[in-house]
Amino acid sequence: MILDGIGASSGVAIGKVFIKQQNDFVLPTHKVTDTEAEIKRFNDAKEEATLELKVLYEKALEEVGEEHAQIFDVHQMLIADLDLHDQVVGIITDEKYNAAYAVSEASAIIAAMFESMDDPYLQERAADICDISKRLIGILTGEKEVSLADINEPVILVAKDLFPSDTIQMNKQYVLGFITEDGGKMSHSAILARTMQIPAVVGVKNILTKLDKNSTIIIDGKSGKIYINPTDEELVYWKAKQEEDRNYKQKLQSLKGTANKTVDGIEIEINANIGSPDDIEGVLANDAKGIGLFRSEFLYMDGHALPTEEAQYEAYKKVIEAMEDRVIIRTLDVGGDKELPYLNIPKEENPFLGYRAIRVCLDQVDMFKVQLRALLRASVYGKLGIMFPMIATVEEIKEAKALLEETKRELLAEGIAVSEDIEVGMMIETPAAALISDVLAQEVDFFSIGTNDLTQYTLAVDRMNAKIAHLYNTHNLAVLRLIKMVADNAHAAGIWVGICGEAAADTTLTETFLGMGIDELSVSAPSVLELRKTIQQIDTSKIQLKL
């Protein structure tokens, strides 16, 4: 039997099934007379859950890096959320129900609110509410589920759904892959699976009714296909595919230390994208020499308040010192799908078209200058590039540069050293910026094209919306023509141009980008060697662009 799901994390896994049973205990529902004591039980459970989440955060930090460990910080924030607290306390106080029932009811209301939203990313946040609800109820009732860390033999995990706390506890030695009935590509479990390089297929309806513990299955995390009790012929084919994949990854290792040079001798910079200083280990392991995009916003998501100047300075310094080549740090890019609750950014009808990125920074100048001070102080430890996101007008880049210069003068007046060799650049993420890139090129040292947003804005396609996902395509002629225009205008002004969006790692576009004259590609660390391999096979003198 062959089933189709959503490929969430590529790779092939073959093994026997481990079915994660739903916790079928009956939720205790009863009235209480001492509501104060019940509220205290709820508050105590919150404290215990927060301690558990801190342990999970540390485990995630070690296994998947700070960017992905942030989910457990988010869970701590959700547990501390006043809306949840007030709803639970209200049910206990007004309706006299026990704490476990109150948590179940309150979290169901909040989860339903998220599920009703149009944005698939926000819909997936309902799973986070369910995860913390499950944790709190388990503490209150003593009915905690068996940890997936207890699996001690090779299996493919199958579940109704997996919460982030389930995924991070999985032992990669034994969990070969996983399948869920629910969930989508944007769920935290799917994101963590990709980071941990565990094959995963999600959204497979009724999979639990088609399997038993004796089933053997094959999953292809790329196509989303699942083979239940495969034939001998299918087993032979997919085992060969597995071996082919292993050999391919092994061969890529031999490219370490080689140049990112085309057949005809053109050298292309390949740099890495990171979200935290902790990601540097993976960058060096994959032989990238520089950082093309440090997403500094993740420093702001690590806690419940703005990071101090000193904390930012230490983070930037650590990365700059660790890298042989240039480190490009993008200034704070929040809004859209990246929220910072403590900034109190108002809810918007169209957040991707709203108060985000450089617009926030130019509005909240004091906060922005703290980051600029930290960046400038760290600049003396290596080669730094400072990059401003979401620029759409000449006025914005001029204002950002003026604030940078003002901050530099203030530091020098304080006797604090600043490098004289800092490159200043900007993201090209909007059609507006692409269309005036000839003018913008006079203001900066480099462009970096963010293809994720450029594609979204050019095609008027919400990149989070599954219903129109087929329309989101960086290969679209309109998007490629804008990229070519930006490259031509950059070179005419004597500045370099790179790409740091997801398309930079799309090897089916590499030849096109090289044909346009793109100077630099910045990708996630695991993509560096495969991109190098692709570049080494291209002869740019033979490229014929058809744009």
Side-chain angles (χ1 to χ4, degrees):
M1 181 187 300
I2 303 175
L3 300 178
D4 288 305
I6 301 167
S9 179
S10 64
V12 175
I14 303 171
K16 70 176 187 177
V17 165
F18 178 93
I19 297 175
K20 180 180 182 288
Q21 299 294 344
Q22 294 293 107
N23 194 343
D24 57 0
F25 78 94
V26 177
L27 179 71
T29 306
H30 57 265
K31 298 282 187 172
V32 296
T33 53
D34 190 345
T35 56
E36 288 302 317
E38 203 64 12
I39 290 169
K40 184 179 185 306
R41 288 187 67 237
F42 169 55
N43 286 327
D44 289 346
K46 284 169 63 176
E47 287 185 16
E48 186 174 337
T50 300
L51 290 174
E52 289 180 357
L53 287 164
K54 286 179 178 175
V55 172
L56 283 173
Y57 173 84
E58 293 300 326
K59 178 176 172 61
L61 194 62
E62 183 179 333
E63 293 195 7
V64 295
E66 188 166 358
E67 179 177 345
H68 298 288
Q70 294 296 336
I71 179 56
F72 299 109
D73 257 351
V74 172
H75 280 201
Q76 290 176 60
M77 292 169 68
L78 289 173
I79 283 176
D81 184 73
L82 288 178
D83 285 342
L84 176 64
H85 178 87
D86 290 348
Q87 291 217 39
V88 172
V89 169
I91 292 170
I92 294 172
T93 304
D94 301 336
E95 302 179 38
K96 305 292 190 293
Y97 274 113
N98 61 303
Y101 175 79
V103 169
S104 177
E105 287 295 292
S107 59
I109 291 168
I110 296 171
M113 178 187 71
F114 278 109
E115 286 175 341
S116 68
M117 294 178 177
D118 293 332
D119 188 331
Y121 180 85
L122 293 176
Q123 288 172 356
E124 295 290 353
R125 303 296 63 81
D128 296 325
I129 297 296
C130 293
D131 199 351
I132 65 166
S133 170
K134 180 186 71 169
R135 184 175 301 281
L136 288 168
I137 291 170
I139 292 168
L140 287 163
T141 62
E143 294 277 357
K144 294 190 180 183
E145 293 185 349
V146 176
S147 170
L148 295 179
D150 295 334
I151 294 174
N152 57 10
E153 60 177 335
V155 295
I156 293 176
L157 180 63
V158 183
K160 172 74 174 166
D161 198 3
L162 287 174
F163 297 113
S165 53
D166 294 320
T167 313
I168 200 61
Q169 291 180 75
M170 294 189 310
N171 188 329
K172 286 199 292 183
Q173 180 182 352
Y174 297 121
V175 177
L176 307 174
F178 71 75
I179 306 169
T180 62
E181 284 197 354
D182 300 333
K185 267 192 172 181
M186 293 306 299
S187 69
H188 281 301
S189 290
I191 293 167
L192 285 170
R194 291 193 286 274
T195 304
M196 298 167 76
Q197 298 183 45
I198 297 174
V201 178
V202 299
V204 188
K205 299 305 177 189
N206 303 314
I207 182 71
L208 292 170
T209 65
K210 302 178 188 301
L211 297 172
D212 60 50
K213 64 181 181 180
N214 298 314
S215 299
T216 295
I217 56 175
I218 300 170
I219 67 172
D220 178 11
K222 185 174 183 179
S223 70
K225 289 200 176 296
I226 299 166
Y227 299 78
I228 301 174
N229 294 321
T231 64
D232 289 343
E233 187 177 313
E234 287 170 337
L235 274 171
V236 167
Y237 175 81
W238 285 104
K239 282 181 179 177
K241 290 286 285 183
Q242 261 189 329
E243 186 62 25
E244 185 181 308
D245 188 48
R246 274 194 291 267
N247 290 337
Y248 178 72
K249 288 178 179 175
Q250 190 60 41
K251 284 180 181 176
L252 287 179
Q253 298 301 306
S254 67
L255 295 177
K256 288 182 178 179
T258 64
N260 308 314
K261 192 175 287 187
T262 64
V263 172
D264 54 326
I266 305 297
E267 191 146 10
I268 307 297
E269 271 192 68
I270 299 180
N271 292 318
N273 298 336
I274 64 169
S276 156
D278 296 316
D279 296 337
I280 288 297
E281 184 179 346
V283 171
L284 297 175
N286 285 280
D287 203 34
K289 300 295 189 292
I291 302 299
L293 171 62
F294 182 163
R295 300 180 179 94
S296 68
E297 57 269 20
F298 288 106
L299 300 177
Y300 290 73
M301 296 177 183
D302 186 17
H304 311 302
L306 290 168
T308 64
E309 177 185 326
E310 200 62 30
Q312 291 190 66
Y313 161 72
E314 290 294 340
Y316 304 146
K317 175 176 177 263
K318 182 177 178 180
V319 174
I320 293 168
E321 283 185 318
M323 300 309 300
E324 181 180 323
D325 290 342
R326 182 202 310 109
V327 172
I328 295 176
I329 300 176
R330 181 175 69 189
T331 58
L332 179 61
D333 185 3
V334 290
D337 59 340
K338 290 173 285 193
E339 295 185 12
L340 288 181
Y342 56 77
L343 279 187
N344 296 314
I345 295 176
K347 296 292 181 185
E348 298 175 305
E349 286 293 322
N350 296 298
F352 280 102
L353 301 179
Y355 187 61
R356 60 172 298 202
I358 199 65
R359 298 167 183 176
V360 175
C361 291
L362 295 180
D363 182 53
Q364 301 192 34
V365 172
D366 289 344
M367 175 188 72
F368 190 29
K369 287 185 71 173
V370 169
Q371 180 173 37
L372 296 179
R373 283 178 62 90
L375 286 166
L376 290 169
R377 286 174 58 199
S379 67
V380 296
Y381 293 97
K383 188 167 177 56
L384 172 66
I386 296 175
M387 178 163 69
F388 299 114
M390 196 63 191
I391 299 293
T393 69
V394 177
E395 290 72 25
E396 285 172 330
I397 190 61
K398 284 186 173 181
E399 189 176 347
K401 284 172 57 185
L403 285 170
L404 182 64
E405 283 302 312
E406 178 183 306
T407 308
K408 181 178 178 180
R409 287 194 300 273
E410 290 169 355
L411 285 170
L412 292 173
E414 294 171 31
I416 298 173
V418 175
S419 172
E420 291 299 322
D421 187 28
I422 300 172
E423 288 187 271
V424 177
M426 58 166 279
M427 300 277 290
I428 299 282
E429 300 172 273
T430 65
L435 290 167
I436 59 169
S437 54
D438 57 332
V439 182
L440 292 169
Q442 307 301 319
E443 301 292 333
V444 293
D445 300 311
F446 68 91
F447 287 147
S448 189
I449 302 171
T451 50
N452 301 355
D453 272 339
L454 184 61
T455 302
Q456 171 175 252
Y457 293 133
T458 302
L459 302 180
V461 174
D462 179 356
R463 58 191 172 96
M464 299 291 191
N465 191 331
K467 290 183 180 179
I468 52 174
H470 63 287
L471 298 175
Y472 180 88
N473 181 12
T474 304
H475 292 247
N476 184 282
L477 184 60
V479 178
L480 294 177
R481 283 183 175 178
L482 285 178
I483 295 172
K484 176 68 162 59
M485 177 189 294
V486 171
D488 289 345
N489 286 334
H491 293 147
I495 67 172
W496 65 267
V497 58
I499 294 176
C500 63
E502 290 296 312
D506 183 348
T507 54
T508 65
L509 280 173
T510 306
E511 184 171 299
T512 298
F513 291 152
L514 267 57
M516 293 176 179
I518 296 296
D519 304 294
E520 182 247 18
L521 296 167
S522 191
V523 297
S524 62
S527 300
V528 168
L529 293 175
E530 184 167 20
L531 182 56
R532 178 176 294 169
K533 178 178 182 292
T534 302
I535 285 172
Q536 290 177 348
Q537 296 171 338
I538 292 173
D539 185 340
T540 62
S541 66
K542 296 180 179 178
I543 296 174
Q544 294 183 336
L545 289 181
K546 296 179 180 178
L547 300 178

